[in-house]
Amino acid sequence: MTTLSKLRSLSLVGLLLGCATPSGARDNSNSATQHGPTEWASWSPASFERAAREDKLILINVVATWCHWCHVMDEVTYADPEVAALLAKHFVVIRVDSDARPDISERYRAWGWPATALLSPRAEPVMNLRGYRAPQVFATLLRELIAEHARGELHQREDPRETRVSAPTDSDLERIRGKATAQLDRYFDVNGLGWGDKQKYPWSEPIEYAFLRARLRHDDPEHTQWRDRALATLDAEAALIDPVWGGMYQYSLRGVWDRPHYEKIAMIQAGALENYAHAAMITGDARWLEPARAITKYLLGTMRDPSGGFYTSQDADLRRADHSSVEGEVYFALDDAGRRALGIPRVDRAVYADLNGLTIHALAELYRASGDRALLDAALAAATRILATHGRASGPNMLALSHGPGNAEALRYLADQAAMGWALLSLHRVTADPRWLDAATQLANSMLASLAAEDGGFYAHTKDPDAVGVFAERRKPLPENALAAQFLLELHGLTDGDGSTDTPYLEPARAALLAVGGDAQIESRGKLVARYLSAIELLGASKIDISIVAKPGDPVGDALWQAALRVWEPRASFERSEPGQRYPDTGAAAIYLCSERSCSRPITDPAQVAAEAEAFLLRE
């Protein structure tokens, strides 16, 4: 085979611009009887070895169990006799569950699901396809690639969706922050609300960044307006909450918030919970807890594993054993009895570490806002389960998590370590139990040992000795590095005491933000820069300590602790200490807020904590 060249195929570009409707393609597939459905190979060294040995092209189909168009493409395109025959003769076809493989999901998420990656027999990239492709269009594309390969002219197509990586031009994170903030702001739909206009996703990270920038720059109207925009967006996206069972649908169509696409996925539930919890804490208005309760009703019911932990997703449509389907628009318009009479859409009961980390963190934050002990109990049970079934010692004072239970996977993923580490810190914050801080520290130590790159930043996963072609290149993805930095910055704040103690966590966090801060990568990440921006802000922000000084079992101290937890301050580290340890024994339980330059007077009345804390924080 000739070396792949960076050429553009005009005929294929034309094919990709056209997309037949599912209904027309469905009629064509009804006659598919000769070859049967496509048979999928596993993601394994044997599959890639077979492709190289037999000189077959590789097709990788990245799907999600909840994905409507993935199901349609299965039923229509991959069941088509011509497509099935072409694939069987000329390709090794591999299917990957995007939720089960964070590394493959990260690589292809810009193309949505289903994503179709077409590669040479040696796993060199040729082209990637976004979404559904009708059988006739798909078969034409396959034949063209087969002919190119036979002539030795196979070449890689340029793709604007491909993540571009470049080294930062300098180490000025403030310059990078300004550029990335302007980029994110351009996505905001002033009239329709939310970040993006054609499809309305309840993006949680831009909302968190909006809250943070309004807090840190509270004297600048350019930034404070984003608090109101975030709150208005949260109001609008409540239309995506299922009024019968609760839970939030993944997104809405046609630039409005009330035309949902009906899958429910864990990441969306976690992000929305965190947003609504923080809205309640920031505004002091309990009405923001109402949509959060509708989401937790679903989360703690349908999506909770009996042994602790949370499932991954629920399908948008009801798909039944007789191969008949009820589309989500019809199904979710029914009441509870009507839905149950038809059956329940499939729930993906996999329990993954990264999604559980995000959910645990959100439940802990909602517990802070509401005081609902059931939320904390669910978060504690999930964390206990993940550590027991996904964790293993990886060295002295080191803990590594597998993605799924059983510790069977050879790879360890950055998203799992960072999300669960961040979650464990949230549990330490609300319980003051040192075991959660200890586990988070062990995760951070393992992350630094096995995932940190010598030139800064973190790889998406540990080294895969079986990887070939493009998959042998480990990537440093921006969103996952941002989460890792956020986790390490919070851990540093908890462990450096009064600021005079060095920790091994601050500089790796800074290096991670710099490593993924090149202009090309920032630009190619679009809206996915919000958590990165939050991490930059927290890196440069002054530290706040909130200390509750009381004897164990003191009811006033306990009330002060609960009042302090309801204070929304992303810069803060919370701690409980006994009188005389760090602060003098005045004979009464008290809260102290301290920055790098001043401390508040002792706050002894739980009813005054919110007002006095806010007054102090606005001066910082």
Side-chain angles (χ1 to χ4, degrees):
M1 175 181 169
T2 59
T3 302
L4 297 182
S5 57
K6 299 274 187 177
L7 301 175
R8 187 183 297 270
S9 169
L10 295 177
S11 59
L12 281 171
V13 170
L15 279 173
L16 297 180
L17 294 176
C19 183
T21 63
S23 59
R26 195 181 303 273
D27 291 341
N28 182 69
S29 71
N30 288 336
S31 62
T33 58
Q34 184 177 356
H35 296 282
T38 299
E39 295 184 7
W40 299 96
S42 64
W43 182 285
S44 67
S47 297
F48 290 98
E49 288 167 5
R50 180 163 71 90
R53 183 176 65 252
E54 299 178 8
D55 198 31
K56 286 189 172 184
L57 298 168
I58 298 169
L59 182 148
I60 297 173
N61 178 225
V62 190
V63 300
T65 59
W66 47 261
C67 166
H68 170 81
W69 288 109
C70 301
H71 299 317
V72 173
M73 197 160 177
D74 260 357
E75 296 163 359
V76 177
T77 306
Y78 290 118
D80 179 80
E82 183 181 9
V83 169
L86 289 170
L87 291 176
K89 184 176 181 180
H90 299 283
F91 288 80
V92 171
V93 290
I94 300 170
R95 171 158 288 172
V96 178
D97 180 343
S98 61
D99 290 315
R101 286 294 301 255
D103 54 333
I104 306 304
S105 176
E106 183 278 320
R107 188 177 290 273
Y108 293 113
R109 62 187 164 202
W111 287 270
W113 314 138
T116 306
L118 297 153
L119 302 100
S120 79
R122 291 169 178 78
E124 301 161 299
V126 175
M127 67 185 309
N128 300 323
L129 304 178
R130 176 181 173 85
Y132 172 79
R133 288 294 186 275
Q136 302 93 329
V137 175
F138 200 56
T140 302
L141 169 61
L142 296 179
R143 286 194 301 270
E144 184 167 343
L145 291 177
I146 292 164
E148 284 189 7
H149 178 47
R151 297 193 303 267
E153 297 176 355
L154 197 65
H155 55 271
Q156 182 178 348
R157 278 72 178 173
E158 294 179 359
D159 194 322
R161 290 189 179 90
E162 184 64 55
T163 299
R164 301 185 303 278
V165 178
S166 64
T169 56
D170 56 45
S171 60
D172 185 356
L173 282 171
E174 182 59 25
R175 182 198 67 80
I176 297 171
R177 185 199 65 79
K179 176 182 175 65
T181 297
Q183 174 177 303
L184 179 65
D185 290 353
R186 288 194 293 270
Y187 282 98
F188 189 76
D189 180 356
V190 175
N191 297 317
L193 301 174
W195 284 261
D197 50 10
K198 293 180 181 179
Q199 292 176 334
K200 293 295 184 184
Y201 281 85
W203 297 107
S204 62
E205 293 171 6
I207 287 175
E208 291 299 316
Y209 179 56
F211 287 155
L212 177 61
R213 66 195 289 194
R215 160 67 88 187
L216 297 182
R217 293 173 172 78
H218 55 81
D219 55 352
D220 184 347
E222 171 62 27
H223 293 280
T224 56
Q225 67 175 331
W226 287 98
R227 168 182 148 156
D228 294 336
R229 288 179 170 182
L231 292 172
T233 298
L234 282 177
D235 250 341
E237 71 182 44
L240 289 176
I241 296 175
D242 181 352
V244 177
W245 287 345
M248 182 173 278
Y249 302 126
Q250 188 190 8
Y251 66 95
S252 189
L253 303 165
R254 302 181 186 176
V256 294
W257 287 101
D258 57 358
R259 295 296 302 270
H261 213 263
Y262 293 93
E263 58 272 349
K264 297 175 183 176
I265 64 177
M267 183 177 65
I268 294 295
Q269 316 310 313
L273 283 183
E274 189 137 328
N275 289 163
Y276 285 120
H278 291 165
M281 296 164 73
I282 290 167
T283 64
D285 189 342
R287 77 178 181 91
W288 295 107
L289 298 178
E290 295 175 11
R293 291 190 184 100
I295 296 169
T296 54
K297 169 188 170 184
Y298 170 76
L299 191 65
L300 299 183
T302 303
M303 299 299 286
R304 190 178 182 192
D305 186 89
S307 61
F310 295 93
Y311 300 140
T312 299
S313 62
Q314 186 171 31
D315 207 332
D317 311 305
L318 176 64
R319 297 182 178 274
R320 298 180 285 200
D322 62 359
H323 302 292
S324 64
S325 300
V326 181
E327 298 294 310
E329 188 172 7
V330 174
Y331 183 89
F332 286 99
L334 300 173
D335 61 11
D336 179 71
R339 295 178 184 184
R340 293 184 185 278
L342 294 175
I344 306 297
R346 179 182 184 273
V347 173
D348 183 345
R349 288 182 167 80
V351 177
Y352 296 125
D354 56 346
L355 297 177
N356 272 263
L358 297 176
T359 304
I360 291 164
H361 193 279
L363 288 171
E365 291 300 282
L366 187 56
Y367 166 71
R368 289 177 62 193
S370 66
D372 184 347
R373 178 71 199 198
L375 304 176
L376 178 57
D377 288 343
L380 292 170
T384 301
R385 187 267 168 91
I386 296 297
L387 291 179
T389 59
H390 295 56
R392 65 170 177 82
S394 60
N397 198 30
M398 292 186 191
L399 172 69
L401 295 175
S402 62
H403 186 54
N407 299 325
E409 296 93 344
L411 300 184
R412 295 294 182 264
Y413 297 106
L414 177 60
D416 294 323
Q417 322 310 313
M420 274 301 299
W422 191 50
L424 296 174
L425 292 183
S426 73
L427 292 181
H428 176 262
R429 175 164 51 242
V430 297
T431 65
D433 187 336
R435 66 174 169 149
W436 303 118
L437 176 58
D438 181 59
T441 302
Q442 292 187 48
L443 277 177
N445 293 343
S446 181
M447 195 171 80
L448 291 171
S450 64
L451 292 166
E454 290 186 3
D455 58 348
F458 294 92
Y459 293 119
H461 55 82
T462 52
K463 189 173 182 179
D464 183 356
D466 297 321
V468 297
V470 69
F471 304 109
E473 174 198 353
R474 287 200 289 172
R475 291 154 61 105
K476 291 189 277 188
L478 183 145
E480 286 82 351
N481 271 266
L483 180 57
Q486 195 168 359
F487 163 42
L488 293 176
L489 288 171
E490 189 170 331
L491 181 59
H492 168 76
L494 281 168
T495 54
D496 81 336
D498 60 3
S500 62
T501 304
D502 290 332
T503 78
Y505 310 119
L506 178 61
E507 287 311 312
R510 188 194 315 275
L513 295 175
L514 284 170
V516 297
D519 289 348
Q521 181 158 192
I522 293 289
E523 290 166 4
S524 65
R525 290 297 181 175
K527 294 183 285 291
L528 298 181
V529 297
R531 188 186 294 277
Y532 177 78
L533 286 165
S534 292
I536 290 178
E537 293 278 19
L538 292 172
L539 175 65
S542 60
K543 181 183 175 184
I544 303 292
D545 286 324
I546 300 180
S547 301
I548 295 80
V549 180
K551 295 179 180 179
D554 183 338
V556 176
D558 291 342
L560 286 168
W561 174 251
Q562 292 300 319
L565 288 178
R566 288 193 290 274
V567 174
W568 183 80
E569 177 45 70
R571 297 169 292 178
S573 296
F574 291 75
E575 69 169 4
R576 294 195 71 159
S577 64
E578 293 189 34
Q581 284 184 335
R582 185 174 176 185
Y583 294 90
D585 186 354
T586 63
I591 290 177
Y592 296 87
L593 290 88
C594 289
S595 71
E596 295 170 349
R597 56 185 184 178
S598 66
C599 288
S600 71
R601 71 176 186 84
I603 307 171
T604 57
D605 182 356
Q608 296 300 314
V609 169
E612 294 201 33
E614 187 69 8
F616 175 82
L617 293 168
L618 288 177
R619 293 194 298 269
E620 296 304 313

